[in-house]
Amino acid sequence: MLTFETIKKDAAIRTYITQADAALGALGYTEHSFAHVTRCAEVAGDLLENLGYPSRTAELARMAGYLHDIGNLVNRADHSQSGAVMAFQLLHGLGMAPEEIAPIVTAIGNHDEGTGVPVSPMAAALILADKSDVRRSRVRCKAEEFDIHDRVNYSVTGSGLVLSEDHKTLTLQLTIDTGCGSVMEYFEIFLERMLLCRKAADFLGLQFKLTINDIPQL
C-alpha cells in the first residue's frame, strides 16, 4: 500500500514540486515549494482525522495536499486540472489502486478558487488547507519590489486553522501587522478564497469563521 512517506521521498515528485515552484518564482508568485505543500498535506489530513474520517482517508488527503500544486510545472493557468492529470499518472505509475487515485485526483482538480468546488471531504479539506496558508515566510522578493499580494502575505505574522472542541466551527485565525498591510487589502485579495473556504467548511458540516487580530470578520 502506497504511503504518504513514500510520496514525500519519491525523487520524480520532488523534482516536479521544485521545478513548479521555480516557474512560479520566475513569475513573481509566493513560495509554493515544500514548506507550502507539506503544510497543506498536514492540515488537510489532520482536519479529516480530527473529524473522525478513517485514517486511510486522512493519509490520502495528505498525499493530495503534497501533490496539489505540481500543475504549476505546466502553467499557472488551470494548474489544478493539469496537476490532477499529473498526479494520476504519477500515482498510477507507483501502483496505487484506482479507488484511491480517484479521490486524490478529484481533490487536486478542485482546489483552486477559480474553478474548484468542494465535491468531497478530501476536496473540502484541501481547499481549507491551501487557502489558509497565508504567511510572511512565503514572500520571496524585497520590500521595495512588493505588489499588493506580497504586502498582504508579508503582513500576516501568524495563521492557523482551529477546530472547535464540539467540531461545529472551524476558525481561521490571522495575526496581521497593519503597518505592513491593511485588513481591507486582505479582503481585496482573498475574499473569493474565504468564500470558498466557507463552502468547504459547510460541506464538512462546519461553520467557517475568520478572525483577524482577535476580531471576528466572517
Side-chain angles (χ1 to χ4, degrees):
M1 185 178 291
L2 197 63
T3 67
F4 176 46
E5 289 302 315
T6 302
I7 294 294
K8 287 172 63 178
K9 294 174 183 177
D10 186 85
I13 289 172
R14 294 185 65 84
T15 296
Y16 298 145
I17 291 171
T18 299
Q19 294 302 315
D21 180 59
L24 289 184
L27 294 171
Y29 282 85
T30 54
E31 177 268 325
H32 284 69
S33 191
F34 296 106
H36 172 62
V37 300
T38 301
R39 177 166 173 162
C40 288
E42 292 172 348
V43 170
D46 289 353
L47 176 59
L48 292 184
E49 207 161 59
N50 289 332
L51 288 173
Y53 287 87
S55 59
R56 185 59 180 171
T57 301
E59 182 159 32
L60 295 180
R62 293 185 180 100
M63 295 181 197
Y66 197 73
L67 296 170
H68 81 281
D69 268 340
I70 57 173
N72 288 303
L73 183 68
V74 179
N75 197 294
R76 180 61 178 173
D78 300 322
H79 75 281
S80 57
Q81 288 88 348
S82 55
V85 174
M86 289 178 66
F88 169 82
Q89 295 283 2
L90 289 164
L91 296 173
H92 179 73
L94 290 170
M96 179 175 267
E99 59 268 23
E100 293 197 328
I101 295 176
I104 292 175
V105 168
T106 297
I108 294 172
N110 279 281
H111 83 268
D112 188 63
E113 64 269 22
T115 56
V117 180
V119 294
S120 68
M122 198 178 298
L126 178 54
I127 287 168
L128 289 159
D130 182 40
K131 306 314 171 193
S132 65
D133 188 18
V134 184
R135 51 188 162 83
R136 175 170 290 185
S137 57
R138 293 190 70 184
V139 178
R140 308 179 202 250
C141 61
K142 298 177 182 178
E144 58 268 22
E145 300 171 346
F146 280 3
D147 63 11
I148 188 172
H149 290 84
D150 296 314
R151 188 165 61 252
V152 169
N153 276 279
Y154 190 82
S155 72
V156 178
T157 59
S159 64
L161 277 176
V162 179
L163 179 65
S164 64
E165 291 186 6
D166 60 6
H167 291 187
K168 292 183 178 180
T169 301
L170 187 68
T171 304
L172 173 57
Q173 298 179 343
L174 299 177
T175 302
I176 290 181
D177 179 354
T178 54
C180 298
S182 69
V183 173
M184 184 60 70
E185 284 182 320
Y186 178 87
F187 281 108
E188 182 180 343
I189 294 175
F190 293 136
L191 181 58
E192 188 178 5
R193 295 184 184 185
M194 295 301 95
L195 294 176
L196 183 57
C197 282
R198 176 181 282 176
K199 291 179 181 178
D202 285 345
F203 189 95
L204 294 171
L206 302 169
Q207 181 183 7
F208 180 74
K209 293 185 177 181
L210 170 66
T211 64
I212 299 178
N213 297 343
D214 297 322
I215 300 172
Q217 307 291 325
L218 290 174

